[in-house]
Amino acid sequence: MPSSDSYFDSLSFPPDKLEEKFYQLEFSSSEEKVQIIREIADMVPWQFRISESVEEFKDPTLRVFARSISSIVHLERINSRYMALAGKGHVNDYGDLEEAVFLLSSVGDPDASYHEFKIYLDQLALRVEELCDLNQEYVSEELKVHFLTRVLSSEENFQGNNDQYDDPNNSFVTRIVRTRKGIPISLSAIYLLVAQRLSLPLYGVNMPLHFLLHFDSPDYETFIDPFHGGVLLDKSTCIRFLEANSFTPSERYFTRASTLSIIKRMYRNLIHIYRKEQFRDMEDILSRQLLILENKLKA
């Protein structure tokens, strides 16, 4: 696994140019502002908080202005990044999953640090890797799965939030790594991001009502339910679940979920919650972003 420090050293952007753009934005016409905001959004990598970047500005008056508009710029950046993701279509290598779920989290958890989030995931993966190394003589694909669920479910205690299932925080991965509680799809995202670091053949499965994970290698196959403590399931159990909930079993329920399908399902869950609770502002923001992910709206 690459070290976090070397990774972040490679992420750079010109702070002087950014300051110039915000200065230009402050004194631009209303017609020009939209384009300049988009240019600023494209300048700052998604891994960096725009609010942190503006604190480096030399002009204190400009800092005040930049703070007041940084949330707008951030939303524009999310829109732009999601438009690029939607353009890639349904790929399931999960190369964009970390970015997608973190950007969603940053809407509801604006102070979240990607650097801290990434380091935590790196540490989880390292612990699984160490268990494999300690048992190198007889480590198997099955044992790797047990080590993964041991670290995430038994040791870190990631589990479903049965008591407050409709809490929006259950969908924001940066909050989940603090509370250790979430819903099936968001907990699955944590598992997938750790598994990706270990090159494990773990995939999401868009089961109706309950998102699952599928470990699929030539030597071992199982389904994992992160919501219920990382319990392992066979396919027949999944089929019985479908039948018990009036779904006709079909292979389409067992296909690998793409990054795009995962993030869209997370958005639909959240929009439903905010609509039910009548939080119109969040519902509107998320609905617009979902339209971008569905290629129905240009950023």
Side-chain angles (χ1 to χ4, degrees), residues 25 28-39 76:
L25 178 64
S28 63
S29 66
S30 56
E31 292 80 14
E32 296 171 320
K33 285 186 185 298
V34 173
Q35 180 56 35
I36 297 171
I37 286 174
R38 287 177 177 171
E39 291 172 3
E76 181 59 39

Side-chain angles (χ1 to χ4, degrees), residues 226-246:
F227 189 83
H228 292 106
V231 64
L232 304 185
L233 310 167
D234 58 23
K235 193 170 183 177
S236 62
T237 304
C238 298
I239 290 173
R240 288 197 298 274
F241 169 81
L242 289 170
E243 292 172 339
N245 287 280
S246 303

Side-chain angles (χ1 to χ4, degrees), residues 15-295:
D16 292 342
K17 294 288 185 183
L18 184 64
E19 193 165 358
E20 287 175 17
K21 278 293 177 185
F22 269 101
Y23 185 82
Q24 184 182 351
L25 178 64
E26 186 175 14
F27 297 101
S28 63
S29 66
S30 56
E31 292 80 14
E32 296 171 320
K33 285 186 185 298
V34 173
Q35 180 56 35
I36 297 171
I37 286 174
R38 287 177 177 171
E39 291 172 3
I40 293 172
D42 289 339
M43 286 178 69
V44 184
W46 65 267
Q47 296 92 338
F48 290 88
R49 286 197 296 247
I50 291 173
S51 57
E52 280 186 344
S53 304
V54 304
E55 294 305 316
E56 303 299 319
F57 292 174
K58 298 170 186 174
D59 184 341
T61 305
L62 186 62
R63 282 202 302 272
V64 172
F65 167 73
R67 284 186 201 124
S68 71
I69 203 169
S70 61
S71 60
I72 296 173
V73 177
H74 177 55
L75 287 177
E76 181 59 39
R77 177 172 60 175
I78 295 175
N79 294 344
S80 176
R81 298 301 303 166
Y82 280 168
M83 187 167 66
L85 176 61
K88 293 180 181 179
H90 290 279
V91 293
N92 56 15
D93 61 6
Y94 302 137
D96 296 311
L97 182 62
E98 196 157 320
E99 174 185 357
V101 297
F102 179 81
L103 289 177
L104 169 57
S105 282
S106 70
V107 180
D109 187 15
D111 294 325
S113 163
Y114 173 69
H115 184 58
E116 293 174 3
F117 179 61
K118 181 183 184 301
I119 287 177
Y120 178 66
L121 294 176
D122 288 347
Q123 290 172 342
L124 292 178
L126 182 60
R127 282 162 59 185
V128 177
E129 195 171 52
E130 286 173 342
L131 286 170
C132 292
D133 290 343
L134 287 170
N135 297 275
Q136 201 165 19
E137 284 183 33
Y138 49 87
V139 70
S140 62
E141 297 289 86
E142 182 177 1
L143 198 56
K144 289 176 185 177
V145 170
H146 284 285
F147 287 153
L148 178 68
T149 58
R150 169 179 159 179
V151 170
L152 271 70
S153 296
S154 301
E155 297 179 6
E156 289 297 303
N157 201 30
F158 282 103
Q159 59 183 295
N161 192 347
N162 278 304
D163 296 333
Q164 295 176 303
Y165 193 90
D166 285 340
D167 185 341
N169 289 321
N170 293 330
S171 294
F172 301 133
V173 290
T174 53
R175 291 199 187 276
I176 292 168
V177 297
R178 297 197 290 271
T179 65
R180 305 295 198 271
K181 292 184 177 181
I183 56 176
I185 193 167
S186 53
L187 291 167
S188 293
I190 300 292
Y191 272 68
L192 287 169
L193 295 177
V194 174
Q196 186 183 44
R197 284 161 165 74
L198 298 164
S199 299
L200 297 179
L202 191 66
Y203 308 96
V205 177
N206 255 321
M207 289 270 288
L209 304 178
H210 198 91
F211 196 90
L212 291 175
L213 295 168
H214 184 199
F215 186 92
D216 187 18
S217 78
D219 299 322
Y220 181 65
E221 179 184 7
T222 190
F223 292 87
I224 306 172
D225 182 0
F227 189 83
H228 292 106
V231 64
L232 304 185
L233 310 167
D234 58 23
K235 193 170 183 177
S236 62
T237 304
C238 298
I239 290 173
R240 288 197 298 274
F241 169 81
L242 289 170
E243 292 172 339
N245 287 280
S246 303
F247 289 94
T248 302
S250 168
E251 279 305 307
R252 67 191 177 95
Y253 296 137
F254 295 94
T255 58
R256 295 176 182 179
S258 66
T259 292
L260 194 55
S261 64
I262 290 172
I263 195 67
K264 287 195 291 187
R265 182 164 172 170
M266 293 177 76
Y267 263 87
R268 292 188 190 103
N269 289 340
L270 272 171
I271 290 168
H272 172 75
I273 291 168
Y274 283 121
R275 183 174 295 143
K276 187 169 67 172
E277 298 298 326
Q278 298 188 346
F279 291 146
R280 300 300 184 197
D281 289 347
M282 283 296 285
E283 181 190 343
D284 290 346
I285 289 170
L286 296 174
S287 295
R288 177 178 173 82
Q289 291 169 353
L290 178 59
L291 286 173
I292 292 170
L293 287 166
E294 292 176 334
N295 256 330

Side-chain angles (χ1 to χ4, degrees), residues 5-13 45-48 114 118:
D5 291 338
S6 63
Y7 178 80
F8 275 85
D9 287 344
S10 67
L11 295 172
S12 60
F13 59 97
W46 65 267
Q47 296 92 338
F48 290 88
Y114 173 69
K118 181 183 184 301

